Amino acid sequence: MKQHILNNKYIYSLIFFLFTAKTIFYFGYNTFSEAPDSWAFNHFVLELLNNNFNDYVGERTPGYPYLVYLLNHDKMLVVLVQMLMGVITSILWFKTLLNLKISEKIAFYCTLFFALYLQNFFYETFILGETFMLFLNSIILYILLNNYFEKKQILVEICMSVLLAILILVKPFFLFYPFLFYALYLIKNPFFKKVISVKLIIFILPAYAYFSWCNFVEEKTGYFEPTAYLGLNLAQNCLFFAEKGPKEYDFIIKPYVKYREEMSQKGEDASMAVWKVWGGQHLAPKYTKFADVTHQFGKYAKANIASNLGDYFYYSITNSWFDFWKVFDMKPYMNFKDGSFNSVVSVINTIQMLLLLILKFVFLILSFYYFFLFIKNRKVTNVMILLAFIHAAAILQALVVYGTNAKYAFPYEFFMLVVILLFLKEKLNWTSKASNTFELE
């Protein structure tokens, strides 16, 4: 037993420090948090508990609400489970760094540094899916960076397929994952030799989950889509050129522009202007159901984007994509009862957010360096896998929605640190262990 503890001293130390920190935070905060998005999750959970979906309007997918349902909608229990997920996630990070041949000591301190990032604790107190998404992403990337592309094991592919299906049901945005996996697998390999592979299994459950859920949504709302938010999100991307849409959509354009200007003048977040169009019932009496309204938003957005592609790409880059590299702060949504505790948390949070902003800036600079190496050497390394996931997410979120885009970066922020660590390992030779990068033959 003693030898076992010594052999795993860093993992047990990590668990001890995180358990202590999370306990202090749990009792210091002593509540759960609600954000504007929490309402839809809570509503879905109530529908699951009552087994009645007559009022379902297509607002959320079932992945995260079902987890809350399994916990009987006990919100403090949800917080505890999410904190437990945070501990397991940190262990996965530590083991991922070891697999990448980072020394145990450096892996421990870097994992602890990021695990104590207060935004992790903040999200764990919310009825939101971010902690669950981070947990699932960390499992997936742990498998990927453990020589996944060199293995052809049916059990591994089945496990990956299950994880991807769950993740897509938590957030359909992650639908691009199986395609990215397969693209990475095929890079620099003769297409005719590798196209038929056991790795095609990863598409089966995600496809079944996605299309089955879209069928359910169509039964309830009349539209074959994962959520009714899709059209609304696309309309948000038209914020800065809303008035350029076809005249046939003036019933959307006029109130949209009006709210945009009003909110901008007041210093409010104008990306939410389209929500005010819905809230103000400007599409009534013809369109009153949420799904019908958002479908019209989607039709308007597609027509506007099609005729103004230059504006669409310009604002997607200068606003949505740029915002991905900022740091989203959940603290303003939290209500701390103890003023002293709140002050300490605020100071630490401000410092940590500044450090993370610097980390993201360094990561972006290194991205250019590694993309240059990829073009030059055509080698798929662990760094390139991480870059592919992070930058694909950054680009796709920019093309789909505008508003609070920095939240989309949350599942990837630790892995930005991993890229920096691998660069330092390569340049400073932090460890004498052999490199764990791989190349597809």
Side-chain angles (χ1 to χ4, degrees):
M1 181 65 181
K2 182 179 179 181
Q3 189 61 43
H4 170 77
I5 293 174
L6 288 174
N7 291 340
N8 296 276
K9 61 180 180 180
Y10 287 110
I11 289 181
Y12 285 115
S13 297
L14 192 61
I15 293 172
F16 170 76
F17 282 118
L18 289 179
F19 178 79
T20 302
K22 289 176 187 291
T23 300
I24 292 171
F25 189 84
Y26 180 83
F27 287 106
Y29 186 50
N30 198 31
T31 186
F32 60 88
S33 309
E34 296 277 1
D37 290 346
S38 298
W39 174 86
F41 290 117
N42 287 323
H43 183 66
F44 198 127
V45 175
L46 290 175
E47 290 174 324
L48 285 169
L49 289 169
N50 297 326
N51 195 26
N52 184 342
F53 296 92
N54 293 334
D55 296 327
Y56 179 72
V57 296
E59 69 272 26
R60 288 296 175 191
T61 48
Y64 179 67
Y66 194 74
L67 173 67
V68 180
Y69 161 76
L70 291 175
L71 299 173
N72 201 34
H73 208 187
D74 184 328
K75 295 180 181 179
M76 291 307 294
L77 182 58
V78 171
V79 172
L80 286 171
V81 169
Q82 289 182 165
M83 286 187 168
L84 177 61
M85 282 184 187
V87 174
I88 298 173
T89 296
S90 299
I91 294 172
L92 287 167
W93 291 347
F94 175 72
K95 294 181 75 66
T96 296
L97 291 177
L98 293 186
N99 286 339
L100 295 174
K101 306 303 180 184
I102 302 294
S103 69
E104 282 190 318
K105 183 178 291 187
I106 293 174
F108 170 73
Y109 285 115
C110 289
T111 300
L112 185 62
F113 166 77
F114 219 93
L116 293 176
Y117 178 45
L118 283 174
Q119 293 296 324
N120 294 324
F121 291 15
F122 294 166
Y123 278 114
E124 289 166 2
T125 69
F126 277 85
I127 305 300
L128 289 174
E130 269 67 21
T131 296
F132 194 28
M133 284 187 279
L134 177 63
F135 174 67
L136 292 170
N137 270 283
S138 297
I139 298 174
I140 289 169
L141 283 166
Y142 169 75
I143 295 172
L144 279 182
L145 297 173
N146 192 20
N147 297 322
Y148 168 79
F149 293 99
E150 294 182 344
K151 299 174 182 176
K152 294 183 180 179
Q153 300 174 2
I154 292 178
L155 185 58
V156 172
E157 306 305 334
I158 292 173
C159 289
M160 186 64 83
S161 188
V162 171
L163 288 167
L164 291 172
I166 296 172
L167 188 59
I168 289 167
L169 287 176
V170 173
K171 196 179 188 87
F173 171 77
F174 295 106
L175 184 64
F176 75 92
Y177 269 24
F179 298 95
L180 184 57
F181 283 20
Y182 210 63
L184 288 169
Y185 174 69
L186 293 175
I187 287 176
K188 290 192 68 180
N189 286 271
F191 186 82
F192 64 94
K193 289 184 178 180
K194 298 292 183 179
V195 67
I196 304 301
S197 166
V198 69
K199 294 194 179 297
L200 285 170
I201 291 173
I202 64 174
F203 287 96
I204 297 174
L205 288 179
Y208 176 77
Y210 180 80
F211 288 111
S212 296
W213 182 249
C214 286
N215 278 325
F216 177 82
V217 175
E218 185 177 31
E219 289 177 11
K220 300 300 179 183
T221 69
Y223 304 106
F224 186 82
E225 52 194 13
T227 75
Y229 285 131
L230 182 61
L232 190 147
N233 289 340
L234 285 175
Q236 283 181 290
N237 262 347
C238 299
L239 176 68
F240 298 103
F241 56 100
E243 57 269 45
K244 293 185 178 182
K247 294 297 181 184
E248 63 189 279
Y249 293 103
D250 275 352
F251 63 101
I252 293 174
I253 293 172
K254 289 180 178 178
Y256 194 5
V257 173
K258 170 179 173 288
Y259 288 123
R260 180 191 69 190
E261 298 305 313
E262 288 179 355
M263 296 178 77
S264 295
Q265 289 173 7
K266 294 177 182 177
E268 299 175 354
D269 183 5
S271 67
M272 298 295 113
V274 71
W275 280 94
K276 287 186 174 286
V277 178
W278 151 247
Q281 295 291 298
H282 289 281
L283 277 67
K286 189 174 182 180
Y287 305 106
T288 54
K289 288 175 57 180
F290 180 68
D292 292 336
V293 171
T294 56
H295 183 68
Q296 292 302 313
F297 284 158
K299 289 175 64 177
Y300 151 73
K302 291 171 186 175
N304 194 1
I305 290 170
S307 58
N308 298 283
L309 278 174
D311 288 307
Y312 169 63
F313 286 116
Y314 173 77
Y315 287 111
S316 291
I317 293 170
T318 59
N319 290 278
S320 304
W321 180 85
F322 186 79
D323 284 355
F324 183 88
W325 305 106
K326 296 179 181 178
V327 180
F328 190 81
D329 187 9
M330 291 302 295
K331 188 177 180 300
Y333 297 96
M334 305 176 72
N335 181 25
F336 286 83
K337 298 175 183 177
D338 188 319
S340 299
F341 186 76
N342 179 54
S343 297
V344 173
V345 167
S346 296
V347 171
I348 297 173
N349 184 49
T350 301
I351 295 171
Q352 289 182 333
M353 289 179 64
L354 178 60
L355 289 173
L356 181 60
L357 197 61
I358 295 171
L359 182 150
K360 287 188 171 185
F361 179 73
V362 174
F363 169 80
L364 274 174
I365 294 174
L366 290 180
S367 295
F368 290 109
Y369 167 74
Y370 280 113
F371 279 130
F372 171 77
L373 287 184
F374 175 70
I375 294 170
K376 179 182 177 181
N377 301 324
R378 305 293 294 174
K379 293 180 180 179
V380 179
T381 63
N382 286 317
V383 169
M384 288 310 304
I385 293 173
L386 292 170
L387 291 180
F389 275 87
I390 296 168
H391 285 285
I395 293 168
L396 291 173
Q397 59 83 33
L399 296 176
V400 173
V401 66
Y402 171 61
T404 63
N405 294 76
K407 283 177 66 178
Y408 283 86
F410 180 68
Y412 305 103
E413 287 168 343
F414 172 77
F415 297 98
M416 295 179 195
L417 173 64
V418 174
V419 171
I420 295 172
L421 288 175
L422 289 176
F423 174 80
L424 292 173
K425 180 172 86 70
E426 173 189 340
K427 297 302 179 183
L428 302 181
N429 194 26
W430 278 13
T431 173
S432 59
K433 295 180 182 179
S435 172
N436 193 41
T437 59
F438 66 88
E439 181 179 352
L440 296 179
E441 300 296 338

